[in-house]
Amino acid sequence: MEAMKISKRFFAFGILACIAIYVAYIKWHLDSKPVMGATEGVAESRGDKLNHQALTTDLSVFYGIMFDAGSTGTRIHIFKFTQQPKETPKLTHETFKALKPGLSAYADDVEKSGQGIKELLEVAKKEVPMELWKFTPLVLKATAGLRLLPGEKAQKLLDKVKEIFQASPFFVRDNCVSIMNGTDEGISAWITINFLTGSLDDPQKRSVGMLDLGGGSTQITFLPRTEATLQTSPAGHTTSFQMFNNTYKLYSYSYLGLGLMSARLAILGGVEGKPCEPLYESCSNKVAKMLYKKVHKAEEVKDLDFYTFSYYYDRAAEVGLIDKEKGGTLTVGDFEIAAKYVCKTMEISPGSSPFLCMDLTYITFLLQELGFPKSQVFKLARKIDNVETSWALGATFHYIDSLNRL
């Protein structure tokens, strides 16, 4: 009889245990199910005012997705970060893919623009773990290509991208798609380069400045070490922003129309034809006249370290001043020597780069107008620690930090 009682109790206990295990399993299954539907994802991000910080506080690993919509192509950067409490995030991996042409090429066929965006989103789905999709910010920032389009056409393209983003399983907000201005581009590139060189982590380490020479515009950004620089700078040349609990006061300005391609047209009087005569003196006179009083000279730049990008890098590599893949260092004087040599050589043989004499001369004079002496040493790099030195990383950092301050 006693044995039967024990058996019944054991049997009842077993049933209760099975029920408890089943309930726990169902709860776990529901809690871990990722956001799969477009409606559910949008409702959560908008209706419940999804708080990115609350969701990621306990996560030591998180991701950010940045689309760079440039004039010649659309590129996706998928960044993987790790972060310890109260520390600056660490970048552990970057996935990059580019598609051509740029969004602006679809100005008259908006529907077609979505194909490339969807293709790049599939790359993100493969890289980011499914359980982190709904916590991963998805952003697109457009640059020169969309800036130059008529406002209505640019907006239709942005609206199409936003529609696709909101149908995705990733974390999107109303500001997930936008056109960057030149200053924002400069600031984001400055954040990237200083993060990769370690100065954002270490307040004792001197920050580095950033010079970018594009086709339509050129940017200069640096962190002034003297108050005089901030006080004597023209209106619109300084800006402040917050990131990682610090406030940065930067000198940052974008000169629209002083990019390399725009400069060529201006030097030639608005005609894309024969470059200036292949004589350094002749070319330099035209360049100097074109640049006269168009650039502000910041005295402090001669005492700071600078990285240079884009056409600064390309032209230096083209004439062998730096390694095409690894980059290197050079001075303003090196650009001048190369310009004089190329101009002299082109008198004898024009070669396959008829604008090279003009381009190198322009770079030489532009750097001096910005305040750099001929002895100034620049660093040129496409990658640091195998990470692209583009504005995308800095913009992603800034965006994620802004979410954490909501």
Side-chain angles (χ1 to χ4, degrees), residues 12-72:
F13 176 78
I15 290 174
L16 287 171
C18 288
I19 292 170
I21 291 168
Y22 179 73
V23 169
Y25 169 76
I26 292 296
K27 186 176 184 303
W28 169 82
H29 183 70
L30 290 173
D31 287 347
S32 63
K33 188 177 180 182
V35 177
M36 294 298 289
T39 309
E40 188 179 348
V42 172
E44 188 164 1
S45 64
R46 287 188 167 190
D48 298 341
K49 296 191 183 295
L50 191 59
N51 187 314
H52 186 264
Q53 184 179 25
L55 288 168
T56 57
T57 298
D58 298 328
L59 297 175
S60 60
V61 176
F62 63 97
Y63 291 77
I65 305 167
M66 179 62 68
F67 277 74
D68 167 4
S71 54
T72 59

Side-chain angles (χ1 to χ4, degrees), residues 10 62 89 96-97 145 162 176 201 241 288 315 368 372 386:
F10 182 79
F62 63 97
F96 171 83
K97 185 172 180 180
K162 189 172 181 180
C176 65
D201 270 337
F241 71 95
R315 291 297 173 265
Q368 290 178 88
F372 298 103
N386 214 32

Side-chain angles (χ1 to χ4, degrees), residues 9 39 126 179 234 250 291 300 330 374:
R9 283 176 192 162
T39 309
K126 289 175 184 174
I179 297 177
L250 295 183
L291 280 173
E300 191 183 346
L330 49 74
K374 291 184 182 180

Side-chain angles (χ1 to χ4, degrees), residues 190 199-200 223 239-244 246-250:
W190 181 89
S199 67
L200 289 183
L223 181 67
T239 186
S240 295
F241 71 95
Q242 278 188 300
M243 195 176 71
F244 304 144
N246 288 315
T247 298
Y248 296 92
K249 292 182 179 178
L250 295 183

